[in-house]
Structures are given as structure tokens and as C-alpha cells.
Amino acid sequence: MFKELYSITPDFMDERQRNKLIVDNTINNKFTVPSKSDLGRDIKTIARKVNKECDWYFNLDRIESIKISCMPPIKYHQPTVLLEEPPENNTGHQQKQRKLICFVKLNNDSENIGGAGLIIKTKLGTQELGKMGDLIIIPAFVPFMFLNYGADPQSRLIYLMCIIRGLSFR
């Protein structure tokens, strides 16, 4: 099977880059980053390397989207799998499926007083992944969820999420 169910690249983004994305999201209402930007190229380069190192060997073609998401405080959340979800813009995506999901936690834990972050379920139970600025890459079929227990109404999780597509599984 696979050697690993996820990969973590420590300190992928420094504080200056994270703060710029947070300001763009919260003040300038910018929710996406161009796929062909420097950030997109860096993510895709690391994803290709991790794809081989973890023995996934997926066919990786292009970045579908890079989004900045702000998760408000919630009590419970069902695990999510992004494999079957249709792409936002269906043009040019024939014979392509989501292969890898990449996350970077942008905000500080002091803003998220109420809970945890990105959680995946493994054979050993659930596990929280990464810290602020780490690039977390998981295959699209691995269930994940964001936990934020909602103790403080001002707490929030801000993540950068990148979806990489490739030729369909056959």
C-alpha cells in the first residue's frame, strides 16, 4: 500500500508570507491565489517530490485551485473527502480527478483558543497535523476534518488549501 498517509514539510511559509495572506483574506476580501504564482509553483514542486517519497505515484497534472479559507467556530464537523466533489469550473477538467490536497495553517494558535486544527483518521486513531506555516499534503481520498470546538466566538482557523489534479484513477 502507501508508505505514509500524509506528509508534512516544516516551515514552508514564514510569518511575513502568512500575515500577507491573512490581511489579503480578512481586509481585502481576497480568497484565492493564482495557480501559476510563485506560491503555486512551490507547492507543486514539493507535492511532486512528496508524491514519490511517500510511494503514492499519482499522476499529477495541474493545480485546480488555491484558496484561503476561514473556518468559523463550530462544535462538530463531519470528516470530509474531496475526491468526489465536482470542480468549480468544469472546463478543461475532462478525465481528471483530485489527487492531492495541500494545507498551510496561516493564523496563530492564540487566535484559535477553542480547539484543534486539521485532523486525519489513521489506524492508530485521530491525529492532529502540523503547526502554523507547515505544508501538509494528503491524498484526496483520506478523510480529514477541521476541529474548532467553538469555546470562543472570536476564535477562527485560517488555512490555505491547494487542490492538485491528475488523470483519473482507472
Side-chain angles (χ1 to χ4, degrees), residues 122-159:
T122 65
K123 290 183 280 186
L124 304 173
T126 58
Q127 181 176 2
E128 183 176 357
L129 297 181
K131 62 180 184 2
M132 168 174 85
D134 292 351
L135 177 67
I136 302 162
I137 302 174
I138 59 175
F141 58 82
V142 174
F144 67 91
M145 68 179 128
F146 293 97
L147 286 184
N148 186 4
Y149 297 118
D152 180 7
Q154 299 300 317
S155 68
R156 62 190 176 166
L157 293 169
I158 302 177
Y159 273 88

Side-chain angles (χ1 to χ4, degrees), residues 17-30:
Q17 292 171 313
R18 290 191 314 269
N19 288 339
K20 181 185 180 320
L21 289 173
I22 290 172
V23 167
D24 281 349
N25 179 259
T26 55
I27 295 174
N28 301 332
N29 293 326
K30 184 178 175 188

Side-chain angles (χ1 to χ4, degrees), residues 12-78:
F12 173 73
M13 268 190 188
D14 62 15
E15 186 175 4
R16 186 179 86 7
Q17 292 171 313
R18 290 191 314 269
N19 288 339
K20 181 185 180 320
L21 289 173
I22 290 172
V23 167
D24 281 349
N25 179 259
T26 55
I27 295 174
N28 301 332
N29 293 326
K30 184 178 175 188
F31 300 103
T32 61
V33 177
S35 300
K36 296 194 181 216
S37 64
D38 289 340
L39 179 62
R41 281 190 287 276
D42 291 345
I43 291 173
K44 194 170 178 183
T45 301
I46 291 174
R48 287 183 189 274
K49 185 177 107 190
V50 164
N51 189 30
K52 289 179 184 170
E53 288 176 357
C54 292
D55 292 338
W56 296 335
Y57 294 105
F58 295 133
N59 179 302
L60 302 179
D61 182 41
R62 59 186 295 211
I63 293 177
E64 177 184 313
S65 64
I66 303 175
K67 296 180 183 177
I68 302 169
S69 300
C70 180
M71 271 54 86
I74 52 177
K75 296 275 184 200
Y76 302 102
H77 196 272
Q78 292 292 76

